Amino acid sequence: MSATPNFTNDSAAVPEMQAGESIASAQPTPAFSPLYQQIKVLILQSLQAGEWKPSAAIPSEMELAARFKVSQGTVRKAIDELAAENLLVRRQGKGTFVATHAERQIQYRFLKLIPDNGDPSSEGPAQRHIIDCKRTRASVEVAKALAVRPGDAVLQVRRVLSFASIPTILEDMWLPAAPFKGLTAERLRDSNGPMYALFETEFGVRMVRAEEKIRAVLPDTEQCELLAADIQTPLLSVERIAYTYNDAPMELRRGLYLTSKHYYRNTLN
Amino acid sequence: MSATPNFTNDSAAVPEMQAGESIASAQPTPAFSPLYQQIKVLILQSLQAGEWKPSAAIPSEMELAARFKVSQGTVRKAIDELAAENLLVRRQGKGTFVATHAERQIQYRFLKLIPDNGDPSSEGPAQRHIIDCKRTRASVEVAKALAVRPGDAVLQVRRVLSFASIPTILEDMWLPAAPFKGLTAERLRDSNGPMYALFETEFGVRMVRAEEKIRAVLPDTEQCELLAADIQTPLLSVERIAYTYNDAPMELRRGLYLTSKHYYRNTLN
DNA sequence: CAGTGGTCTAGACCACTGG
DNA sequence: CAGTGGTCTAGACCACTGC
C-alpha cells in the first residue's frame, strides 16, 4: 500500500491540465506540492487508517525515509508539521508517538476554563455527572454542523461538570450515531479520563481540532437548576464543533460555563 | 555589535557552573542551547533595537548566514521560528519582513469578535469613538498587570467601537506613561488604522503576544449607556494583557463585547 | 552501548518576484 | 535575468533514553 512519491512535479502525482477540461475549475497555478507535503499526506493516511494506534510509536525517521524512498530530512519536515498540529508527539531518544487525549490525565486539552488562581491542578479533577444519553434525529441545525442529513440518527448527551463540588459547566453534545454505535450513559459514567479519550479507545474517533463560538447569555430555568445558578447570572455560551482527520466534523457541543470563579483563557499570537 | 555564536556547547556562550556557586540556582541540566536558538536571540535583539523597522525587509538568509558565520540552514531554522511566532513574515522571491499590525488593513489581528455571518469584511471597518484619554496613577491591580509600581503614571484610554453603526465594544486601556509620552485623544482620533499600528509608528512599541481572560458579566448603568444596551443584557468581559518583546507587558485592556450579533471565535488545536 | 530524535553543514536545484 | 525564499539530499555529529 506504500506509494512512492514523485520527486519533481513532472510525473503523475499532480495530474496535468487536459485540453478541453472545464474552464471553471482551471487552476491558475498547477498546485505545486513539495515532497514533504506528499509524505505528510501518506503519514496522515496511515494515522487515519489506524496503522498506528494512539500513544503508540510510529516507525523511526530512518525507517520512514526508507519506506518512502526519500531522505531523513524530508521525513523530518513532514513529521515536524504533524507535530506542530498536535497529531504526533516527538520524544527525543525514544521516538515519535501518536498523540492522544488520554495521556495528559491532568488536564483536558480542549477545555480552556481555568480557576481564578490560574492553576487547574489546584482544584483536582472535574466531577462528571452524566444526565442522559439518548438517541434522537438531527435537527436542521445539528445536521448542518455534523455534515449529515436532517433526520439522521444522532446521539445526544447531556452532562454537568463540577469543580470542588460546585456545578460549573453544563454541556449538551450531539454525535453522529453510526461511528458511536453502542455509546450509553453507563459507558460514559464508567469511563475515567476525558470523554475524548473514551472516543479514541472505544470508537476509534480522534478529535484533532475544534472551533468555538463564544457568547454571553442568561440561562433558562432548566439550566439554572442544573447549574444551581440564579436566573440573572450571566454565563459563557461556548458552541464547539470538533473535527477528526480530513476536517470531518464529529461532534457539536454547546456548553454553558459559570464564570464567577473561573475564566476562559485564550492566548493570542 | 554582531556576536559570533559558539558551535558546540564547549565554549563561553553558556557559562559553566563554577565551584562554590549558589546551590539554590544550580541547574540540573546545563541548559544546552542549539546554535539556531542563539541566532534567533541575536535576530530578536536586532528587532528589539529597531535595527529593522516594521514592514521593512531584513537581510537575506545568505547575508545573515555570513554575518553570524553559520550556514544558511541554521539561519533558516531561526527565522522559521520567528515567523511561526508572527514576528517575521516570509515572502518567497521577495524577502523576509518585519511583521506589523498595519499591513492587514482589513482586519485587526488581535480582535476575535466576528459577525454572526462569519465574514468580518461584510460590515466594513469599525467606527471608533475615543471617549477620553487621561493621565492617572496605577492602582495596585493595574500596576501588577503592567509590571510597574502602584502609583506610577499611566495613561487610561476609553473608547467605543461600533459595527454598522451599532455600538458593540466598550474598552478601557491602561498604558505605562513613559513609552507612550505624548499620546492624546486627538492623536488617537486622527489615526486611521488599528491602534496597535499607531503604537508601532508613533511610539516604537510593537505588540507581539497577548493573553485574554474571558468571563460573562452584566453591565453597570454607565456601561449600559455607552453601549446603548439594557442592564439585563449579558456581555463578554475580555481582559487582555498585551506584551512586547521579552514578554514585557505594555497594555492592560478591559473590553465589554456585545454578543447579540457577534461572537468571539476561537480555534483549538 | 545501540537506537532515537535533534542539530549543523555544504551544495544543488526549484519556485517566485521584479526589473 | 539576478536575487530571494523553498526544497531536497547525504553525511557528520550531538543529546537523550533505556537496556
Side-chain angles (χ1 to χ4, degrees):
Chain A
M1 201 56 143
S2 82
T4 300
N6 65 325
F7 257 58
T8 58
N9 263 35
D10 51 8
S11 61
V14 176
E16 296 293 333
M17 184 65 68
Q18 302 294 322
E21 267 192 51
S22 157
I23 295 176
S25 67
Q27 294 286 334
T29 320
F32 163 72
S33 165
L35 237 196
Y36 77 87
Q37 285 286 2
Q38 304 174 38
I39 304 298
K40 189 180 163 187
V41 169
L42 293 176
I43 296 176
L44 218 56
Q45 286 170 353
S46 290
L47 282 171
Q48 191 171 1
E51 183 177 337
W52 311 305
K53 301 297 178 195
S55 84
I58 72 171
S60 74
E61 294 178 355
M62 293 304 262
E63 285 178 79
L64 289 173
R67 178 197 302 194
F68 298 134
K69 304 242 175 56
V70 299
S71 78
Q72 189 202 10
T74 301
V75 170
R76 178 154 258 279
K77 186 147 187 184
I79 293 180
D80 276 345
E81 291 207 352
L82 292 168
E85 296 168 24
N86 293 309
L87 295 181
L88 295 176
V89 177
R90 320 193 73 144
R91 272 177 256 182
Q92 182 173 151
K94 299 169 83 171
T96 302
F97 299 81
V98 182
T100 166
H101 287 267
E103 30 196 72
R104 20 183 115 245
Q105 285 143 334
I106 266 183
Q107 196 42 20
Y108 296 33
R109 192 173 122 204
F110 282 0
L111 179 56
K112 313 262 284 178
L113 198 70
I114 306 289
D116 280 345
N117 66 21
D119 178 14
S121 62
S122 64
E123 58 188 6
Q127 298 108 47
R128 303 173 321 238
H129 177 226
I130 307 293
I131 295 175
D132 80 55
C133 172
K134 65 190 179 200
R135 192 185 173 90
T136 64
R137 307 219 152 262
S139 68
V140 172
E141 209 172 5
V142 169
K144 193 182 164 206
L146 295 180
V148 300
R149 289 186 303 273
D152 280 3
V154 295
L155 297 175
Q156 180 174 356
V157 179
R158 167 170 280 201
R159 70 168 179 177
V160 171
L161 293 184
S162 299
F163 296 98
S165 298
I166 300 172
T168 305
I169 299 180
L170 168 62
E171 286 180 318
D172 282 292
M173 285 152 273
W174 290 265
L175 306 162
F180 291 96
K181 190 175 164 68
L183 180 66
T184 62
E186 287 67 40
R187 277 177 94 172
L188 285 168
R189 273 189 269 266
D190 291 346
S191 85
N192 268 330
M195 186 175 288
Y196 287 164
L198 178 77
F199 290 175
E200 284 177 4
T201 57
E202 302 296 308
F203 304 98
V205 175
R206 306 193 37 223
M207 300 305 189
V208 151
R209 193 178 69 82
E211 297 257 336
E212 293 191 332
K213 298 180 180 182
I214 304 170
R215 291 183 167 85
V217 300
L218 290 178
D220 62 28
T221 53
E222 186 185 9
Q223 293 161 345
C224 279
E225 268 182 43
L226 291 165
L227 281 174
D230 191 86
I231 195 141
Q232 302 235 47
T233 307
L235 301 174
L236 231 49
S237 158
V238 180
E239 180 176 313
R240 173 193 300 174
I241 300 179
Y243 300 84
T244 5
Y245 298 108
N246 287 36
D247 286 324
M250 286 299 271
E251 181 200 57
L252 169 64
R253 182 183 292 217
R254 288 203 176 119
L256 286 181
Y257 294 6
L258 190 64
T259 57
S260 46
K261 295 194 170 60
H262 296 75
Y263 61 88
Y264 184 104
R265 178 190 187 144
N266 196 24
T267 300
L268 311 179
N269 300 302
Chain B
M1 199 61 139
S2 80
T4 299
N6 65 324
F7 256 59
T8 57
N9 264 36
D10 52 7
S11 60
V14 176
E16 295 294 332
M17 183 64 68
Q18 301 295 322
E21 267 192 50
S22 156
I23 295 177
S25 67
Q27 294 287 333
T29 319
F32 163 73
S33 165
L35 236 196
Y36 76 88
Q37 286 286 1
Q38 304 175 38
I39 304 299
K40 189 180 162 188
V41 169
L42 293 177
I43 296 177
L44 221 68
Q45 287 170 353
S46 290
L47 283 170
Q48 191 171 2
E51 182 175 337
W52 311 305
K53 301 295 177 196
S55 84
I58 72 171
S60 74
E61 295 177 354
M62 293 304 260
E63 285 179 80
L64 289 173
R67 180 201 298 197
F68 298 135
K69 304 242 176 59
V70 299
S71 78
Q72 187 202 13
T74 301
V75 170
R76 176 154 259 280
K77 186 146 188 184
I79 293 180
D80 276 345
E81 291 207 351
L82 292 168
E85 295 167 25
N86 294 309
L87 295 182
L88 296 176
V89 176
R90 321 193 71 143
R91 273 177 255 182
Q92 182 172 150
K94 299 170 82 171
T96 302
F97 300 80
V98 182
T100 166
H101 287 267
E103 31 195 68
R104 18 181 116 247
Q105 285 142 334
I106 267 183
Q107 196 42 18
Y108 295 35
R109 193 174 122 203
F110 283 0
L111 180 56
K112 314 261 287 179
L113 199 70
I114 306 289
D116 280 345
N117 66 21
D119 179 15
S121 62
S122 65
E123 57 187 7
Q127 297 108 48
R128 302 172 321 233
H129 177 228
I130 307 293
I131 295 175
D132 81 54
C133 172
K134 64 190 180 202
R135 191 186 174 86
T136 63
R137 308 220 152 261
S139 68
V140 173
E141 209 172 3
V142 169
K144 193 182 164 204
L146 295 181
V148 300
R149 288 186 304 272
D152 280 3
V154 294
L155 297 175
Q156 181 174 356
V157 180
R158 167 170 280 200
R159 70 167 180 179
V160 171
L161 293 185
S162 299
F163 297 98
S165 298
I166 300 173
T168 305
I169 298 180
L170 168 61
E171 287 180 317
D172 282 293
M173 284 152 275
W174 290 264
L175 306 163
F180 292 97
K181 190 175 166 69
L183 179 65
T184 62
E186 287 67 41
R187 278 178 93 173
L188 285 168
R189 273 189 270 267
D190 291 346
S191 85
N192 268 331
M195 185 174 290
Y196 287 165
L198 177 77
F199 289 175
E200 284 176 6
T201 57
E202 300 297 309
F203 304 97
V205 175
R206 306 191 37 224
M207 300 302 189
V208 150
R209 193 178 69 80
E211 297 257 333
E212 293 190 333
K213 298 181 181 182
I214 304 169
R215 292 183 167 86
V217 300
L218 290 178
D220 62 29
T221 53
E222 185 185 11
Q223 293 162 344
C224 279
E225 267 182 43
L226 291 164
L227 281 174
D230 189 87
I231 194 141
Q232 302 234 46
T233 306
L235 301 174
L236 229 51
S237 158
V238 179
E239 180 177 313
R240 174 194 298 173
I241 299 179
Y243 299 85
T244 5
Y245 298 109
N246 285 37
D247 286 325
M250 285 300 272
E251 181 200 57
L252 169 64
R253 184 184 290 218
R254 290 208 174 116
L256 285 182
Y257 294 6
L258 190 63
T259 57
S260 45
K261 296 193 171 58
H262 296 74
Y263 61 88
Y264 184 103
R265 179 192 186 140
N266 196 23
T267 300
L268 311 178
N269 298 303

